[in-house]
Amino acid sequence: MEPLEQLKQRLEVFWENTSLKEAARAFQTIPLKESDILEANARLMRFKPLIQKIFPETLPREGLIESDLVDISKTYQRISLSEAIPSRGRYLLKADSHLPVSGSIKARGGIYEVLAFAEKTALDAGLLSLEDNYAKLLEPLARDLFSHYTLAVGSTGNLGLSIGIMGAALNFKVTVHMSSDARAWKKNLLRSKGVQVMEYDSDYSLAVKMGREQSQKDPTVHFVDDENSQTLFLGYATAALRLKDQLRALDIEVSPARPLFVYLPCGVGGAPGGLAFGLKKIFGDSVSVFFAEPVESPAMFLGVLTQKHDAISVQEIGLSNRTDADGLAVGRPSGFVGRTVGHLINGFYTVKDEALYPYLQALYSADGIPVEPSAAISLAGPGRLRSAGYFKTHHLDEQAITHLAWATGGGMVPREDFKSWLKK
């Protein structure tokens, strides 16, 4: 059965990307460079004094918003009781579920875009130079300047949290346009920060559309465009630089002989796209990246498979775009991301909602890490590849592979919500 037909029938699918290119060849057609990642990282470093003043939880890393790299071999021992996974190799989790400030991977791209806009606004107004201590942006002159601008974003939840929390902390006005998939606690938390939350009885695409329209009417509104923002994209890409250092600290080699396999939850594509770009820039073809999506919302999978990108939606092939993995409830993918990194993604897989909860429970019971269902989808990767015969087909030594599941959200979830997921 063809992959497109499998998607239509809501089957759990693994598809090896037939448009994959060697990294060096793919980068020839991508305008963004490694220097862009380094520049984004340098900007984040300049903001460290400000970040640690506003958010004391970042003090251990001196204002750097970063997550731990955790060994989760115990989790996979538990998973192996119910499914065939590679019995050898190393298993790690990138705990972006517990990033400081907003408890999800969106703390990378979302906060970076707010900071980039704040820096430009202050530089243009003559209130800042690149050599300054950026903590001065907390002083009354800067806060008054920022109060005349509004940040707007369309979100299923986590990006809105990142933009809202950081934007409000700098005294920007913030409006978050939220789809019906967004959790009530996320809306309530934003409102408690003074953020205006606009709710829509529709999906993510309408929320983004409304946010974009608002920004077009008012020059003082900066729209954070999850579908098209290169700034967001580069904020996510900086994670590869940090991961390289963390792997080195654990004495884990990444090379053709000892490859790294990374499993990324995917919604509209901005975060996994930026990560894929950064990872391939830093590790080349020694890293393989796989995007994971719910069976009802395989937007990026569909866009790359058909090469229609944002010209096709999951609703057009009969899917509902309704999923418990609310952060991944996106019907139409980012055309910018699909066209930029579509040739860098090694493969895609889909997972049914009911299959997410055993992974979520295994991670919590074995290693004590709570994540959202949308983050738990990354844990399915090694088993899906093995079931599809991927390792044998590519003549890979399973013992030499480092598997890395990227946990994208869950650190701020109310305990009652998480307990209800454990019961499932």
Side-chain angles (χ1 to χ4, degrees), residues 95-337:
D96 276 10
S97 50
H98 291 71
L99 276 170
V101 184
S102 63
S104 83
I105 192 171
K106 303 298 185 177
R108 294 189 185 279
I111 288 176
Y112 173 69
E113 175 136 352
V114 173
L115 298 179
F117 180 69
E119 181 186 63
K120 183 180 185 305
T121 302
L123 288 169
D124 289 349
L127 292 183
L128 182 72
S129 73
L130 297 180
E131 294 74 34
D132 283 339
N133 181 324
Y134 275 33
K136 74 182 295 185
L137 295 180
L138 301 176
E139 294 172 1
L141 271 177
R143 289 180 64 79
D144 179 66
L145 172 68
F146 295 153
S147 72
H148 292 87
Y149 291 88
T150 297
L151 303 173
V153 63
S155 175
T156 58
N158 286 340
L159 181 61
L161 279 183
S162 295
I163 300 295
I165 292 171
M166 190 70 243
L170 291 177
N171 210 35
F172 286 106
K173 299 184 184 75
V174 186
T175 301
V176 179
H177 301 264
M178 286 187 135
S179 60
S180 57
D181 316 281
R183 304 278 177 179
W185 69 266
K186 296 179 182 180
K187 298 171 186 174
N188 293 336
L189 177 58
L190 283 170
R191 289 185 174 117
S192 75
K193 303 287 184 183
V195 173
Q196 181 182 29
V197 177
M198 307 293 291
E199 299 184 58
Y200 302 94
D201 189 20
S202 185
D203 68 5
Y204 166 86
S205 296
L206 178 64
V208 173
K209 178 174 180 286
M210 297 305 291
R212 188 179 289 120
E213 287 180 358
Q214 179 194 9
S215 68
Q216 290 168 349
K217 295 173 184 174
D218 186 344
T220 66
V221 176
H222 176 74
F223 178 58
V224 182
D225 192 339
D226 200 13
E227 295 179 347
N228 299 297
S229 173
Q230 289 190 14
T231 307
L232 276 177
F233 186 86
L234 290 170
Y236 297 123
T238 61
L241 300 171
R242 322 277 176 69
L243 179 64
K244 181 182 179 181
D245 291 340
Q246 288 179 315
L247 289 168
R248 186 185 293 121
L250 293 174
D251 200 27
I252 295 176
E253 175 189 337
V254 179
S255 66
R258 304 195 70 82
L260 175 66
F261 278 50
V262 181
Y263 309 99
L264 302 171
C266 181
V268 76
L275 290 174
F277 173 75
L279 290 166
K280 291 281 185 171
K281 270 292 182 189
I282 300 303
F283 299 108
D285 294 314
S286 296
V287 65
S288 295
V289 295
F290 300 89
F291 283 17
E293 297 176 283
V295 294
E296 292 285 357
S297 305
M300 187 60 67
F301 187 161
L302 179 63
V304 173
L305 173 66
T306 62
Q307 289 297 293
K308 292 183 178 180
H309 301 295
D310 56 345
I312 191 169
S313 71
V314 301
Q315 290 92 337
E316 290 172 49
I317 64 167
L319 302 178
S320 70
N321 192 33
R322 289 194 293 271
T323 170
D324 289 359
D326 56 294
L328 311 181
V330 175
R332 190 180 302 274
S334 164
F336 158 66
V337 170

Side-chain angles (χ1 to χ4, degrees), residues 332-412:
R332 190 180 302 274
S334 164
F336 158 66
V337 170
R339 294 182 185 94
T340 302
V341 302
H343 298 301
L344 293 172
I345 306 165
N346 294 74
F348 295 81
Y349 64 88
T350 59
V351 179
K352 293 180 178 178
D353 279 6
E354 57 267 29
L356 298 173
Y357 296 101
Y359 295 115
L360 181 149
Q361 187 183 52
L363 181 63
Y364 185 68
S365 57
D367 286 294
I369 302 171
V371 297
E372 295 178 334
S374 56
I377 200 170
S378 62
L379 296 165
R384 293 307 164 87
L385 267 63
R386 190 163 206 230
S387 297
Y390 186 91
F391 304 114
K392 286 185 178 179
T393 301
H394 290 270
H395 309 290
L396 293 165
D397 177 6
E398 291 184 15
Q399 190 167 354
I401 298 172
T402 298
H403 299 276
L404 173 57
W406 213 289
T408 48
M412 295 180 72

